[in-house]
Amino acid sequence: MKLLLAILLTLQTPKTLIHPPISKSNQETIAIVILEKPQSEQEIKQLIRPYKDVRLRRVFQEAIDGFSIQGSPQTIAELAEQKRVLNVSPVTQYRVETEESVKIIGGEEVRGYFDQKNERLTGKGVTVGVIDTGVDYTHPDLKRNYAGGHDLVDNDRDPMETLAQGKATIHGTHVAGIIAANGKIKGVAPEAKIVAYRALGPGGGGTTEQVLAAIDQAIKDKVDIVNLSLGNDINGPDLPISLALNRAVDKGIVAVAASGNSGPNVWTVGSPGTASKAISVGASTPTMEIPSLLIEGMQDKIRLQPMEGSGQWAIDRTLEVVDGGLGRKSDVKHVQGKIALIKRGTLTFSEKAANALEAGAKAVLIYNNMSGGFMGNLDTQLTIPVGSLAKGDGVILQKELKNRRVTARVLVSEERDRLADFSSRGPVTGTWEIKPDIVAPGVAINSTIPGGYLSLQGTSMAAPHVAGACALIKQAHPDWTPEQIKAALMNTAKPLVKQNEGTAGLSEKRTVSEGSAKISEDAIESPYYRTFEQGAGRIQVNEAIKAASLVSPSSIRFGKFTGESGSHKADLHVENTSEMVQRYSFSIPEQVDGLTWRFPLSFTLEPKQSKEITMELMVDPKVFKGKIHDGFLSLQAGRKTIQIPYLYVLEEPGYPRVMGFDFAEGDRPGEYRYEVYLPGGAEEFGIALFNPEDYRFVGFLDTLTNVKKGLIRQTLSAEQLPAEGSYLVKIFAKKAGKEDFIERMIVIEKKKE
């Protein structure tokens, strides 16, 4: 028997829903303590000695000034009041963020360039630390590059991928291959050395403590670059791992982090992709053949997202589309010779597709059971084409199927440099910093895995392209700092242009939104993706290596209007790295009512000379109508034009504390999941269940305390769900004595196979 959970429309109840307070947990927790200044292990033990139920776990000496402890929440809260303690942060979960791509970023062209020793640029002499699930160092394409490592899960020197059946991992090996594979396939920097740090264990999960320990060790090992293709959904600049990456950069290490896979909504970039000094990487597409579905009787096409591991969409005739339910064998008995439209949930993508293939289907479309689209990877290679659809497109198709016989044609077109839908967007809440910084290919990326090769997609695949690019730049310019390398990549990136977004789907035209809060478009319609979607654009490592001028910081946040002054200044460092005199001048941006720019006069720099400059943005809030203004400033540097992304906030959208709640079946039997967005975080968060007839409190579906701002995603087992029936659900968040909530109705009923 399976459970079916469906979310209905918001219910307006005439009676106040009253739930008991969330009980304080006595269960021991693990926390990260950040100190105001460095202290020895002996001093730390002295600090915690008065707290009898607190145990010291790890001391961090490089990544942060601090340590991890285990104890009761109450005692940890008392410790946080100590004068020497700067901050105490609960340990959170991190997870993996799951050659045309090398060519598209200029990697092949770079092979013809030489370093100061007259050796080809291949990453030789550069060490990249891969903080991930481990690496299969026996793989024939990687064994020559492997330079040792550490296992921070089992605490030994063997960072091999998890091989246990059912919990096996492949992610770190895939990431390492993109950076430096040197065999059957070639990575971006095929002669770079890989040092592996296994911070994520069985199933690809890990904690703040393990990732911090890995960063700490990487700093001790003096690697040149670290790559973190991992993350969580917390959009904030001050989590311990983000702070640790900033520290690593200060110590001379280039830090590269995936921005996350929670797009296309804004405010979804997660830690450590929020680290200010790290290079946060979003995902773009390499050159790909993308299928679209043209439904008979409809004008707009539906753009499909091919699932990695599926067959080619080479369908040259019109086919009927039929309802395939949830993709169970009993749901797909009638799909022979047709396209099966299947809803996400209950079974894995591979199980759904395999059942349809066995029943004779020609293709499979899996539509989301939560808002928006999604990316998917099949567990095994299948001959049948499989693609994903946004929830809205799937619902529209389902309605059409109920009213008439639906036929469709598949159209295939070539695309490149499109921003991946799943790529997380910024900006960073609180600081309004532009993240991601840049994008790189992250869709359909073939690389190494234990025992062979596999094509995967995600910002996890985009980040190692950048890490490899950094290795090439480091070889070419061994004296460049992490800030200079970041500037070279961002100053020479290619801003991406939207490609006929109207064909994205039937359900809605593209809008940049999150839940019920939207970021309004500028008065000037721009052909480019927003700066907080793509940063400076897609990397071009061949151009970055030849950069004759560097501008840092490479993106500008003018901050938020405070009411005190409409004038905002930004300081930039401009450096002439070439052997020739360079002349610099800013282009005047297009006029926007209420905004006035003041730029420095044109200036000239001698070779290796640098200059500090200041620019000013003046805002008249009575005239300027946009809430957020962003774009690119153009600096003419000799014969090159440097595009500098900027962002200004007049008014933060008035979003509620709770928004975007969704609840649906998981991808495996017995699993269910929910997601909800908390823009400002919460001291207490909960999902309370009520009887819809008399509003009697039944229990909590879930509760959390001290939640950081950002997206919450949780998976619930069947045992955590209430008995079958209808429930009124109150999703609430409390902070500073104020409670905000939304109400929904869920129906839980047993469903026969």
Side-chain angles (χ1 to χ4, degrees):
M1 306 292 284
K2 300 274 169 62
L3 293 174
L4 174 65
L5 293 87
I7 297 295
L8 302 181
L9 298 174
T10 301
L11 183 65
Q12 301 295 328
T13 56
K15 186 174 179 178
T16 303
L17 300 177
I18 301 174
H19 58 82
I22 296 174
S23 59
K24 292 185 178 180
S25 173
N26 291 318
Q27 185 176 359
E28 286 194 340
T29 60
I30 300 171
I32 306 297
V33 179
I34 300 176
L35 298 167
E36 287 186 339
K37 59 182 181 179
Q39 295 189 22
S40 67
E41 184 171 341
Q42 188 60 38
E43 288 173 319
I44 290 170
K45 288 179 178 178
Q46 186 70 26
L47 173 66
I48 66 173
R49 184 167 293 153
Y51 306 94
K52 301 302 181 184
D53 65 339
V54 167
R55 296 189 301 283
L56 181 65
R57 291 173 59 88
R58 294 181 190 262
V59 174
F60 305 109
Q61 298 172 326
E62 303 288 349
I64 59 171
D65 298 322
F67 54 94
S68 62
I69 53 173
Q70 185 169 353
S72 70
Q74 292 76 22
T75 307
I76 291 175
E78 291 175 17
L79 177 62
E81 300 300 319
Q82 281 271 5
K83 289 183 179 179
R84 287 181 283 175
V85 173
L86 187 64
N87 184 33
V88 174
S89 177
V91 165
T92 55
Q93 293 293 314
Y94 283 79
R95 60 178 182 277
V96 294
E97 295 283 17
T98 86
E99 302 109 352
E100 177 65 30
S101 60
V102 175
K103 181 179 179 181
I104 201 173
I105 66 171
E108 286 191 359
E109 184 179 328
V110 165
R111 303 287 184 259
Y113 299 173
F114 295 83
D115 66 10
Q116 297 168 5
K117 299 177 182 177
N118 205 34
E119 294 183 331
R120 291 187 185 276
L121 295 185
T122 58
K124 188 175 182 179
V126 181
T127 303
V128 183
V130 176
I131 299 177
D132 213 291
T133 59
V135 169
D136 178 8
Y137 44 77
T138 66
H139 195 290
D141 289 16
L142 293 174
K143 59 184 181 182
R144 284 183 292 177
N145 305 74
Y146 179 66
H150 299 265
D151 185 334
L152 291 312
V153 178
D154 296 332
N155 295 312
D156 58 37
R157 298 296 294 270
D158 183 10
M160 175 60 79
E161 291 267 17
T162 301
L163 302 176
Q165 191 171 2
K167 293 290 186 178
T169 56
I170 61 174
H171 194 268
T173 304
H174 198 274
V175 167
I178 295 170
I179 297 170
N182 194 7
K184 182 179 177 182
I185 63 174
K186 298 286 185 182
V188 179
E191 290 193 296
K193 291 298 182 184
I194 294 292
V195 178
Y197 300 92
R198 182 173 178 255
L200 307 179
T207 67
T208 306
E209 185 181 35
Q210 293 162 343
V211 179
L212 269 180
I215 299 172
D216 210 63
Q217 186 62 51
I219 295 173
K220 291 177 183 176
D221 293 342
K222 293 182 169 53
V223 300
D224 298 301
I225 299 154
V226 288
N227 184 92
L228 288 87
S229 287
L230 51 84
N232 63 25
D233 297 313
I234 301 175
N235 181 326
D238 54 356
L239 265 69
I241 289 179
S242 295
L243 298 177
L245 285 189
N246 289 339
R247 173 74 68 86
V249 173
D250 290 339
K251 290 177 178 284
I253 296 173
V254 181
V256 181
S259 69
N261 298 329
S262 298
N265 290 338
V266 297
W267 299 307
T268 52
V269 61
S271 175
T274 55
S276 182
K277 297 179 182 180
I279 304 174
S280 177
V281 187
S284 63
T285 61
T287 303
M288 296 177 63
E289 290 190 341
I290 299 295
S292 296
L293 207 63
L294 184 59
I295 306 295
E296 185 180 355
M298 293 185 179
Q299 185 175 1
D300 290 330
K301 295 180 292 184
I302 304 177
R303 184 181 186 276
L304 308 180
Q305 179 66 52
M307 286 198 178
E308 286 308 303
S310 75
Q312 296 295 314
W313 283 87
I315 300 175
D316 57 0
R317 55 200 172 104
T318 299
L319 294 175
E320 184 179 356
V321 181
V322 295
D323 184 1
L326 287 169
R328 296 169 295 200
K329 290 186 177 182
S330 57
D331 295 330
V332 293
K333 293 180 177 179
H334 59 297
V335 301
Q336 185 169 1
K338 302 170 184 176
I339 300 174
L341 178 66
I342 295 173
K343 185 177 181 180
R344 182 181 184 179
T346 303
L347 304 178
T348 66
F349 304 139
S350 296
E351 288 171 331
K352 293 174 186 287
N355 288 341
L357 174 62
E358 186 179 336
K362 292 294 185 182
V364 173
L365 302 175
I366 301 175
Y367 69 94
N368 208 356
N369 54 7
M370 290 190 175
S371 59
F374 68 99
M375 66 169 208
N377 295 311
L378 299 179
D379 299 334
T380 55
Q381 185 73 40
L382 295 178
T383 57
I384 191 172
V386 184
S388 68
L389 291 176
K391 180 180 180 180
D393 291 334
V395 169
I396 289 174
L397 272 179
Q398 281 286 7
K399 289 180 180 178
E400 291 294 320
L401 292 178
K402 291 178 181 178
N403 296 326
R404 65 183 178 96
R405 180 176 179 269
V406 175
T407 57
R409 271 191 310 132
V410 175
L411 306 176
V412 178
S413 59
E414 190 174 87
E415 284 185 6
R416 66 179 288 175
D417 278 343
R418 178 189 173 100
L419 194 62
D421 281 352
F422 59 77
S423 185
S424 289
R425 273 68 162 171
V428 179
T429 54
T431 64
W432 291 99
E433 189 168 1
I434 294 173
K435 292 287 180 176
D437 295 299
I438 49 179
V439 297
V443 178
I445 307 301
N446 188 48
S447 185
T448 49
I449 62 168
Y453 308 87
L454 188 66
S455 183
L456 296 175
Q457 54 193 0
T459 55
S460 282
M461 284 67 249
H465 279 86
V466 175
C470 290
L472 298 176
I473 298 171
K474 185 70 175 176
Q475 181 190 351
H477 305 282
D479 57 336
W480 276 12
T481 65
E483 188 175 46
Q484 288 174 305
I485 292 174
K486 181 177 181 179
L489 284 169
M490 292 183 68
N491 293 167
T492 59
K494 174 186 176 183
L496 299 188
V497 178
K498 300 174 185 176
Q499 300 177 7
N500 194 13
E501 295 290 329
T503 65
L506 301 175
S507 55
E508 58 180 353
K509 301 300 182 186
R510 294 272 174 201
T511 58
V512 183
S513 63
E514 200 300 310
S516 59
K518 295 183 179 179
I519 289 183
S520 60
E521 295 292 336
D522 295 341
I524 298 173
E525 180 65 25
S526 171
Y528 296 108
Y529 289 101
R530 306 292 289 267
T531 60
F532 47 80
E533 295 180 296
Q534 65 164 322
R538 193 256 298 149
I539 65 166
Q540 301 182 106
V541 65
N542 53 324
E543 296 294 330
I545 284 171
K546 298 183 297 182
S549 300
L550 299 177
V551 179
S552 58
S554 304
S555 64
I556 303 171
R557 52 183 170 108
F558 285 102
K560 181 181 172 185
F561 181 74
T562 61
E564 298 173 1
S565 172
S567 176
H568 301 264
K569 294 182 178 181
D571 297 322
L572 295 177
H573 178 81
V574 182
E575 178 183 1
N576 178 5
T577 60
S578 74
E579 303 296 333
M580 300 174 58
V581 175
Q582 300 271 14
R583 182 173 177 79
Y584 300 86
S585 62
F586 280 95
S587 301
I588 305 300
E590 293 187 57
Q591 177 63 38
V592 175
D593 291 342
L595 298 181
T596 305
W597 293 92
R598 185 175 293 160
F599 295 104
L601 297 174
S602 299
F603 58 94
T604 300
L605 292 178
E606 298 292 326
K608 311 305 179 183
Q609 187 180 12
S610 62
K611 180 182 178 67
E612 305 295 327
I613 63 171
T614 300
M615 62 184 60
E616 188 174 6
L617 173 63
M618 290 157 288
V619 183
D620 184 348
K622 296 178 181 177
V623 179
F624 178 61
K625 300 302 181 184
K627 291 183 183 295
I628 291 183
H629 183 71
D630 72 307
F632 293 90
L633 298 177
S634 294
L635 175 63
Q636 194 64 34
R639 296 182 178 180
K640 296 288 186 178
T641 300
I642 296 175
Q643 302 275 23
I644 307 168
Y646 70 88
L647 177 70
Y648 166 70
V649 181
L650 176 68
E651 179 185 339
E652 191 169 351
Y655 41 56
R657 292 187 188 278
V658 184
M659 59 198 300
F661 178 74
D662 220 337
F663 192 38
E665 305 95 326
D667 295 331
R668 298 184 183 279
E671 288 184 354
Y672 301 86
R673 57 201 176 98
Y674 74 82
E675 63 181 42
V676 63
Y677 192 79
L678 305 184
E683 294 165 4
E684 292 185 3
F685 163 79
I687 304 174
L689 301 171
F690 294 85
N691 185 316
E693 296 179 1
D694 58 11
Y695 309 115
R696 175 177 50 84
F697 173 71
V698 176
F700 289 110
L701 186 65
D702 199 13
T703 61
L704 298 169
T705 58
N706 298 319
V707 184
K708 296 283 187 179
K709 63 182 75 173
L711 188 70
I712 299 174
R713 278 181 171 160
Q714 296 281 33
T715 299
L716 303 173
S717 65
E719 292 74 23
Q720 293 173 279
L721 297 167
E724 69 174 311
S726 298
Y727 294 91
L728 177 60
V729 179
K730 177 182 177 182
I731 307 101
F732 65 91
K734 279 185 177 180
K735 189 173 184 180
K738 182 183 177 183
E739 177 181 286
D740 282 3
F741 64 89
I742 54 179
E743 296 168 10
R744 296 289 187 270
M745 180 72 81
I746 65 171
V747 178
I748 300 175
E749 56 185 25
K750 292 184 178 180
K751 203 70 172 166
K752 293 183 179 180
E753 285 287 345

